[in-house]
Amino acid sequence: MSKNICILPGDGVGPEVTEEAVKVLKSLDLGFDFVYGDIGFGTYERLGTPLPDETIEKVEKADATLFGAVTTPPNIPNYSSPILKLRKHFDLYANLRQCVNDEINMVIVRENTEGLYSGSERVEDNGDKAITEMIITRKGSERIIRFAFEFAKKKGFSKVTVVHKANVLRETCGLFRKVGLEVAEDYPEIEMQELLVDACAMQLIKDPKQLQVIVTTNMFGDILSDEASMLVGGLGVAYSGNIGTKKAVFESVHGSAPKYVGTHKINPTATIMAAKLMLEHLGFHKEALRVENAVKKAIADKNVTPDLDGDLTTQQVTESIIKNLEE
Ligand code: IPM
Ligand code: MG
């Protein structure tokens, strides 16, 4: 049955990279229907909201969504990032970030709806004291940790590393750790390792090969996944999936990179790989593997943009990937 794919290009280089990913998807001839939706700061300037109701409806109706990037202006009071709103609205609780090369095979499973991203913030003392609440629930922790163990089981990983800071954040991270130990008991065949977040940040540089599946709270996952991306080619290739029980939104890890707009230097690989993860999610495993191999070949042949020391344009990289798909 034909799938309905929602494309949310967004701001900056978002439209450019999503268009490249759409070219790759179209070349697979899977009969997808593409529906485009508005999102981001440009949308806010035109319509007064960065995430219009029509966009939410399009995501709701789609089988899966591919998101480009958005610019978040720092100085507009009450403005909140529309990607964070999408994650919360559709309860996309699992943020999956894969980091793979010839030596490293790691995935970061980041809790995506609570923690320090609770949105619960206030100021006191006439603005001299600022408070952000870190909220950790048993339900939120259990489902993300179970997601990580199930993912490990399905993909043949032998270890899950639960990353926290329970020595200082005794209540919040203490609960996350406790639930981690409990869930691990249901998976005796998988080793459960605990690491404090600072030690994990160090191990990512010192000995990344020992890490397999990392599961952690929202902001630790945000930071560690940018760090981990540098082990496998940087933000130009890092991609992710925001996955809930009903909906899923796939995106590159990089932002809207306004200074690259129109330069044709932006690396489309991250968004093309996000589309690959979307194909996997939709059950097109064979096609997902073909895209992955086509991307790997383009990288091996040095058919890449300047961030990976190549001299191809954004569009030429996509052409080379599509040519690899046809071979
Ligand atoms: C990410 C980004 C977002 C986040 C920003 C754009 C709100 O950094 O997806 O990692 O903090 O989650
Ligand atoms: Mg981030």
Side-chain angles (χ1 to χ4, degrees), residues 97 110 222 226:
R97 298 186 162 181
R110 162 185 173 190
D222 178 43
D226 271 28

Side-chain angles (χ1 to χ4, degrees), residues 93-94 109-111 140-148 176 215:
Y93 68 92
V109 178
R110 162 185 173 190
E111 202 292 320
S141 306
E142 180 166 351
R143 64 182 181 174
I144 195 68
I145 295 167
R146 211 168 272 289
F147 183 100
F176 191 78
V215 60

Side-chain angles (χ1 to χ4, degrees), residues 81 84 87 97 110 117 222:
S81 166
L84 297 185
R87 290 173 185 167
R97 298 186 162 181
R110 162 185 173 190
Y117 284 62
D222 178 43

Side-chain angles (χ1 to χ4, degrees), residues 91 93 111 113-114 136-147 175-176 179 183 245:
D91 200 21
Y93 68 92
E111 202 292 320
T113 57
E114 50 182 42
I136 297 290
T137 64
R138 169 172 281 279
K139 177 179 167 235
S141 306
E142 180 166 351
R143 64 182 181 174
I144 195 68
I145 295 167
R146 211 168 272 289
F147 183 100
L175 177 58
F176 191 78
V179 174
V183 171
T245 47

Side-chain angles (χ1 to χ4, degrees), residues 218-253:
N218 208 339
M219 184 164 279
F220 294 162
D222 178 43
I223 297 167
L224 294 177
S225 58
D226 271 28
E227 184 188 359
S229 79
M230 291 313 294
L231 302 168
V232 293
L235 285 176
V237 298
Y239 59 99
S240 73
N242 301 279
I243 299 166
T245 47
K246 297 199 182 73
K247 294 287 148 200
V249 176
F250 298 84
E251 56 169 324
S252 56
V253 171

